[in-house]
Amino acid sequence: MERWRDRGRWAAALWGALVGAPIAALIVLHRVPAWDPAWMNPTFHFYVVSGTSLLAAIACGGLVFASKSLRSTRLLFLVVAFLSIAAIFSVHGLATPGFIHDEPYPAVGVSAWLSVLAGAVWVAASAVEPRGAIARTLERHGRLVLVAVAAALGAYLFAALFIHESLWLSWIPVNDRRFQLSLTAVSLALLAFATWRYLEAYLFTRLPSQAAMALALGLLIDVQVCLAWGRLWHASWWLYHGLYAAAFITLFGGWFAEARRAGSVAAIAEALAMRDSLAQLNRGRPTALVELADAIEAKDVATHGHVSRVGAYALETGRELGLPAWELRSLVLAAQMHDVGKIGTPDAILRKPGPLTDEEYAVIKRHATRGDEIAGRTPALRPLRDAIRHHHERWDGGGYPDGLAGEAIPLFARIIAVADTYDALTSPRPYRPALDHEAAVAELRRVRGTQLDPRCVDAFLRAFERMGEPASEAA
């Protein structure tokens, strides 16, 4: 636990240093004007800003094609956020005087400020979970929403560049200092909120996508600060352009690392959803457990219903062992959360149709310790962390992660191990069909006393005989 906290402190300190350095540089440039030289280069601004922004917009489009689904509203909002930033900021470059237009044009200033604000609104939306009719609509029509937003951005790009300024852009007081500071306050508040949520998600799951999001959003905070206080065409003004590029490089680097590691970009949204459910669980919100269990099950479509079945099997086994009601409640919660560490396990490994390599099996095994770490940071799960950590230990000491044996393995973990094993045997897998009840029972009896606690196996089998039907259906 202390090692986990130390890593979190180091991560927060590193984030603070990376995000704080540009603001410190801006302060120095203001204090020492000689270090803030002017460099007016419209050609560089036109080609580099426009080209970089358009490439970033294309990369966002690539993310859509890489994703099999945009049913996750968080992922949808993230794509829309950075697509909006890239598309709107490209107008800032394309409207540079001397190219499409000869004179200074309002689209240059308006687009710079609007890009940050639009991105801040969407990325803050990605850090909360919509509910009710809105959530259902977004889940069903995610791609349609994205197409509508892309069309609106395309219309803005065309209108900002080719419709005369007096028609609609000149009324925006983009050069008014009070207006600028108001936009800055709103954007910084939204970005700070979103940054904190993604930083929290990273501290729980240690996923590269969450680290990249937290850092990219921190750099967008720097962009807004430098935009508000940089001097036009001076180094302090060029600084925010460079920070924009750094934010996109960081973001896409993290997404690429996540896609390569997990075989899916969906993990970008998974960790934050899990963080929300854990927070709600700590506050006693009853539906949070269902949402978190759903998030765990969604990691492996081949084991649909696994979490609820293991919870039901564990409940009946605990009853047979004579556990009191308060322990049964804790046992069921531990059984439902036993695979919480799989949130950070690559989908490509979890859903692999064939046998795992030694390296892939080593990755799978880490879910036990990751689950322990997550439970240690969640007050509602902290009393159950031993059960979550040790549910893959073996009675003969040949399990993982710590090689515990016999009675040294926590009782909850031994009960969950039996329930987990039975459900794995009776569930179909891509590489083998499901066993029937009799064959699964025969296998439990075979590993009784080696892999599994004999007393827990006997209690499990008595529970089936007592119920006269599958324990999962009865529960």
Side-chain angles (χ1 to χ4, degrees), residues 53-54 57 82-92 153-154 156-157:
S53 300
L54 291 173
F82 288 95
L83 180 62
S84 300
I85 292 173
I88 296 173
F89 197 63
S90 70
V91 177
H92 173 73
L153 292 172
Y156 173 81
L157 190 151

Side-chain angles (χ1 to χ4, degrees), residues 9-93:
R9 294 190 191 102
W10 276 107
L14 180 60
W15 180 91
L18 292 173
V19 173
I23 295 179
L26 179 66
I27 294 172
V28 170
L29 293 175
H30 267 268
R31 293 294 185 90
V32 188
W35 293 0
D36 190 21
W39 185 54
M40 188 172 182
N41 192 328
T43 301
F44 180 86
H45 186 268
F46 176 83
Y47 287 107
V48 174
V49 173
S50 304
T52 302
S53 300
L54 291 173
L55 284 174
I58 293 171
C60 286
L63 176 65
V64 175
F65 286 104
S67 177
K68 295 180 180 178
S69 172
L70 283 178
R71 290 178 63 85
S72 167
T73 55
R74 297 184 189 279
L75 185 56
L76 171 64
F77 288 161
L78 278 177
V79 172
V80 169
F82 288 95
L83 180 62
S84 300
I85 292 173
I88 296 173
F89 197 63
S90 70
V91 177
H92 173 73

Side-chain angles (χ1 to χ4, degrees), residues 49 57 75 121-122 155 157 169 185 187 194 217 235 249 292 301 332 354 356 367-369 411 454 458 464 467:
V49 173
L75 185 56
V121 169
W122 284 110
L157 190 151
L169 280 178
S187 296
L217 293 178
I249 291 171
L292 188 54
V301 295
V332 171
L356 299 176
H367 83 273
T369 52
L411 177 60
D458 294 343
F464 262 87
M467 298 298 293

Side-chain angles (χ1 to χ4, degrees), residues 222-254:
D222 291 341
V223 166
Q224 182 63 67
V225 171
C226 293
L227 175 61
W229 283 279
R231 297 167 60 201
L232 183 64
W233 293 114
H234 285 250
S236 55
W237 180 80
W238 284 106
L239 179 59
Y240 91 79
H241 295 74
L243 289 168
Y244 246 142
F248 274 104
I249 291 171
T250 300
L251 176 76
F252 291 127

Side-chain angles (χ1 to χ4, degrees), residues 189-211:
L190 293 172
L191 288 171
F193 165 74
T195 301
W196 173 243
R197 298 300 295 273
Y198 281 99
L199 189 58
E200 276 191 316
Y202 168 71
L203 292 175
F204 266 82
T205 61
R206 304 298 194 234
L207 298 180
S209 60
Q210 304 299 324

Side-chain angles (χ1 to χ4, degrees), residues 141-413:
H141 306 294
R143 290 188 180 273
L144 184 60
V145 172
L146 182 62
V147 169
V149 171
L153 292 172
Y156 173 81
L157 190 151
F158 177 83
L161 293 178
F162 301 112
I163 295 180
H164 194 270
E165 62 181 80
S166 62
L167 294 179
W168 69 298
L169 280 178
S170 58
W171 66 271
I172 302 177
V174 70
N175 294 318
D176 182 83
R177 192 58 179 163
R178 288 176 298 180
F179 181 78
Q180 291 178 348
L181 293 178
S182 297
L183 287 185
T184 297
V186 172
S187 296
L188 289 180
L190 293 172
L191 288 171
F193 165 74
T195 301
W196 173 243
R197 298 300 295 273
Y198 281 99
L199 189 58
E200 276 191 316
Y202 168 71
L203 292 175
F204 266 82
T205 61
R206 304 298 194 234
L207 298 180
S209 60
Q210 304 299 324
M213 278 299 305
L215 181 54
L217 293 178
L219 292 174
L220 289 182
I221 290 175
D222 291 341
V223 166
Q224 182 63 67
V225 171
C226 293
L227 175 61
W229 283 279
R231 297 167 60 201
L232 183 64
W233 293 114
H234 285 250
S236 55
W237 180 80
W238 284 106
L239 179 59
Y240 91 79
H241 295 74
L243 289 168
Y244 246 142
F248 274 104
I249 291 171
T250 300
L251 176 76
F252 291 127
W255 283 356
F256 175 78
E258 190 64 64
R260 184 175 181 181
R261 183 197 70 85
S264 168
V265 295
I268 297 170
E270 281 177 2
L272 188 59
M274 183 187 72
R275 175 66 190 95
D276 289 348
S277 296
L278 291 173
Q280 293 160 2
L281 184 61
N282 288 335
R283 293 194 295 267
R285 184 170 175 268
T287 57
L289 178 60
V290 177
E291 293 170 356
L292 188 54
D294 287 345
I296 296 170
E297 287 201 333
K299 290 295 294 179
D300 190 353
V301 295
T303 59
H304 180 67
H306 172 72
V307 168
S308 57
R309 290 193 299 270
V310 171
Y313 297 150
L315 171 64
E316 296 304 326
T317 305
R319 282 176 175 167
E320 194 64 33
L321 290 170
L323 298 182
W326 67 270
E327 284 196 346
L328 290 175
R329 287 192 292 271
S330 297
L331 172 61
V332 171
L333 178 57
Q336 292 174 319
M337 296 297 104
H338 74 281
D339 275 341
V340 68
K342 284 187 176 179
I343 292 293
T345 304
D347 292 350
I349 296 178
L350 284 175
R351 302 177 185 182
K352 185 177 179 180
L356 299 176
T357 65
D358 291 342
E359 292 78 12
E360 290 169 337
Y361 184 56
V363 172
I364 286 286
K365 288 165 64 175
R366 291 182 199 139
H367 83 273
T369 52
R370 185 187 292 271
D372 173 36
E373 291 169 341
I374 291 172
R377 291 181 56 84
T378 309
L381 299 181
R382 196 170 295 149
L384 311 174
R385 59 183 304 187
D386 284 346
I388 293 172
R389 179 183 182 88
H390 297 298
H391 70 277
H392 279 293
E393 303 285 4
R394 290 173 54 105
W395 183 254
D396 61 7
Y400 64 86
D402 299 318
L404 300 184
E407 298 286 342
I409 304 171
L411 177 60
F412 281 10

